[in-house]
Amino acid sequence: MSTIEHTTPAGLPVLDDEFVQDPHVRNAQLRAEAPARKVVTVTGMPVWVITRYAEARAVLADARFSKDYRGMRAAMEASMSSDSPRPGFDDAVQAHMLNMDPPDHTRLRKLVVKAFTARRVEALRPRIEEITTELLESMAARAGEGEVDLLDEFAFPLPIRVICELLGIPEDRRDDFREWSNAAVAGRDPEAARVASEQMAAYLVELVERKRREPADDLLTGLIEAGEDTDRLGENELVAMVFLLLIAGHETTVNLIGNGVLALLRNPEQFAAVRADHERVPGLVEETLRYEGPVNLATLRFTSETVAVGEVEIPEGELVLVSLSSANRDEDKYADAQEFDVDRSTAGHLAFGHGIHFCVGAPLARLEAQIALRRLIERFPDLSLAVGDDDVRWRFSTLMRGLETLPVRPG
Ligand code: HEM
């Protein structure tokens, strides 16, 4: 196997644009080398990457890999050189459950988990169907133009509308939100991420005030009511919770739909199989999650003590990223793991994480993607790529795996 190019002078692989454009090649190299490998981010931050399935799953469920954001600050400060750009830290957007360990994590998660159970989410089906049909009709109206960006026209607006309606958030600032949310997860420019997070937090504070004056039957009002008992939810925690749900709603499901469509268009025999039998759609969604899931590397963790990962010892206080994209293509877990096959068993895939931080929104994401892909294929059975197979570009982010644009001909 060839050695990894794009390394630092100290020989560490860099998570640069080449990695973002095709993580699977380097993931395979890293998996072959060791169960845990030190790399650096583009901003120069050294992190350990866990690439094999068994270790990835174990680390996600191991409390010694902490997510507490206060401890994380210290670990990041210690890891970075003095001239590295610092990511912005603002409690108003940091104090959410994905940045906490128990018991705070448990307390915060309890407040929203009920809103996302399979049963509660199923009640949203008619509304999701309605929005989907509306978007597809407006895409059909534009089909005369020949080419459309499937992300702009379809994959992006659907989850946004759903999460905004669920929370009870007006869509008047939708373009701002998209920009803030994109910048917050991009990871290449910490200063831009800090500014965007602050702008979004300021807007959310304003929104909470407005909702306090005009309560409604929505999740945000429910959270505000929970916040009246500050032992359950503090003011920063309230804003951070909404921030987390909105970012999750903006950045993930769009890419599940987009990546699924791209995989179908690149694998015509799989597309034909799904078209011939729509009962394959849930399999298509699960295989997309495994093969090209929306989250590339899970969010940061740090070691609260020295931990052995296989034969590798990670010292206390070091940063760790679990590579979901790599674990899900580990040949030791899935036969022919690099093949896209909607009929395979994908049981155990890690696209939604694992352990106590397992994605709260998984039932909603699954339902949205199933409806979206089924209706898209029904409406546009001759959908095709409007660019060359390899001419698509991936957005620069080591967290999210999503396309910049997805130009298609609806047919
Ligand atoms: C296909 C779409 C989605 C994918 C692939 C996805 C993936 C993930 C992953 C991998 C994690 C764990 C991260 C880690 O442990 O580092 C996570 C956590 C989370 N996700 Fe999602 N997500 C999706 C959609 C959503 C949606 C639609 C929502 C809510 C509206 C949501 C809300 C959350 C929340 C609140 C957490 C934190 C849970 C905790 O810390 O206990 N996600 N998600």
Side-chain angles (χ1 to χ4, degrees):
M1 186 162 294
S2 66
T3 52
I4 294 167
E5 294 168 1
H6 300 270
T7 54
T8 63
L12 298 183
V14 184
L15 301 177
D16 56 10
D17 191 58
E18 191 180 303
F19 167 75
V20 166
Q21 295 311 318
D22 187 0
H24 304 299
V25 174
R26 271 213 245 167
N27 283 344
Q29 294 171 337
L30 293 172
R31 272 198 309 275
E33 277 183 24
R37 176 76 155 87
K38 211 168 195 176
V39 305
V40 272
T41 65
V42 274
T43 58
M45 194 168 68
V47 289
W48 292 88
V49 174
I50 315 293
T51 49
R52 296 181 189 162
Y53 180 88
E55 282 83 4
R57 190 179 173 93
V59 166
L60 289 171
D62 186 333
R64 294 172 300 173
F65 293 86
S66 171
K67 295 197 83 347
D68 178 81
Y69 68 105
R70 290 147 294 206
M72 186 76 77
R73 284 178 196 179
M76 286 174 111
E77 279 299 324
S79 299
M80 286 188 288
S81 63
S82 54
D83 56 351
S84 301
R86 264 49 186 164
F89 291 121
D90 181 347
D91 280 5
V93 292
Q94 291 278 319
H96 58 66
M97 70 183 108
L98 192 48
N99 286 335
M100 293 193 189
D101 295 336
D104 288 327
H105 170 266
T106 324
R107 169 175 58 84
L108 294 173
R109 189 167 165 120
K110 234 166 113 178
L111 293 171
V112 288
V113 78
K114 277 201 212 97
F116 292 97
T117 57
R119 205 166 55 84
R120 286 288 287 276
V121 162
E122 188 55 37
L124 301 173
R125 182 186 285 276
R127 184 63 189 132
I128 299 173
E129 290 275 9
E130 208 170 79
I131 301 171
T132 303
T133 306
E134 226 173 83
L135 292 169
L136 287 174
E137 285 318 312
S138 86
M139 202 168 120
R142 281 174 164 246
E145 294 165 26
E147 187 182 315
V148 295
D149 178 4
L150 190 92
L151 299 189
D152 263 356
E153 298 293 326
F154 183 58
F156 184 75
L158 172 63
I160 300 316
R161 284 202 199 163
V162 174
I163 192 69
C164 284
E165 286 187 14
L166 191 65
L167 277 159
I169 289 185
E171 282 188 73
D172 52 351
R173 301 287 292 276
R174 200 162 93 187
D175 292 342
D176 287 338
F177 256 108
R178 185 177 188 178
E179 217 171 279
W180 294 335
S181 158
N182 278 191
V185 301
R188 189 160 20 198
D189 184 346
E191 180 55 19
R194 190 185 60 77
V195 171
S197 304
E198 276 179 15
Q199 287 172 330
M200 191 154 163
Y203 171 68
L204 291 177
V205 168
E206 202 186 295
L207 195 72
V208 166
E209 284 315 311
R210 213 192 308 168
K211 196 58 92 177
R212 277 209 169 99
R213 292 192 301 270
E214 297 158 28
D217 182 19
D218 53 39
L219 189 52
L220 182 51
T221 304
L223 288 170
I224 290 171
E225 282 164 6
E228 280 157 16
D229 173 359
T230 48
D231 284 349
R232 289 173 71 204
L233 184 67
E235 187 68 22
N236 274 341
E237 290 172 341
L238 168 63
V239 171
M241 172 84 85
V242 180
F243 177 80
L244 173 65
L245 294 173
L246 276 173
I247 294 268
H250 269 70
E251 299 295 329
T252 52
T253 313
V254 46
N255 296 321
L256 178 52
I257 299 168
N259 297 357
V261 171
L262 179 68
L264 281 182
L265 298 180
R266 279 177 163 174
N267 293 274
E269 73 300 340
Q270 296 290 311
F271 191 6
V274 180
R275 209 166 26 210
D277 181 3
H278 291 175
E279 295 306 310
R280 284 199 169 95
V281 167
L284 161 65
V285 169
E286 295 310 304
E287 176 63 345
T288 304
L289 284 161
R290 182 200 71 82
Y291 177 83
E292 205 78 273
V295 178
N296 184 351
L297 294 134
T299 56
L300 272 174
R301 288 163 164 75
F302 70 93
T303 45
S304 59
E305 57 184 83
T306 301
V307 186
V309 175
E311 70 273 18
V312 179
E313 204 164 79
I314 304 184
E316 179 183 341
E318 305 235 336
L319 302 170
V320 178
L321 288 171
V322 176
S323 175
L324 306 181
S325 65
S326 176
N328 283 336
R329 288 199 188 200
D330 185 340
E331 302 279 349
D332 286 345
K333 171 67 181 171
Y334 299 104
D336 302 319
Q338 317 312 316
E339 303 294 317
F340 182 70
D341 175 3
V342 300
D343 291 326
R344 77 159 71 232
S345 163
T346 55
H349 73 66
L350 299 179
F352 288 118
H354 176 62
I356 61 167
H357 294 284
F358 181 85
C359 180
V360 165
L364 177 60
R366 283 186 159 120
L367 182 66
E368 286 178 20
Q370 287 177 13
I371 293 174
L373 290 169
R374 180 188 289 253
R375 297 291 174 222
L376 178 74
I377 293 165
E378 263 173 24
R379 187 72 180 76
F380 301 113
D382 297 323
L383 190 75
S384 63
L385 260 183
V387 290
D389 221 20
D390 296 317
D391 292 339
V392 293
R393 276 195 56 80
W394 299 87
R395 270 172 54 196
F396 189 89
S397 167
T398 48
L399 174 62
M400 297 299 169
R401 176 98 178 126
L403 295 164
E404 283 178 0
T405 60
L406 181 49
V408 295
R409 286 193 200 88

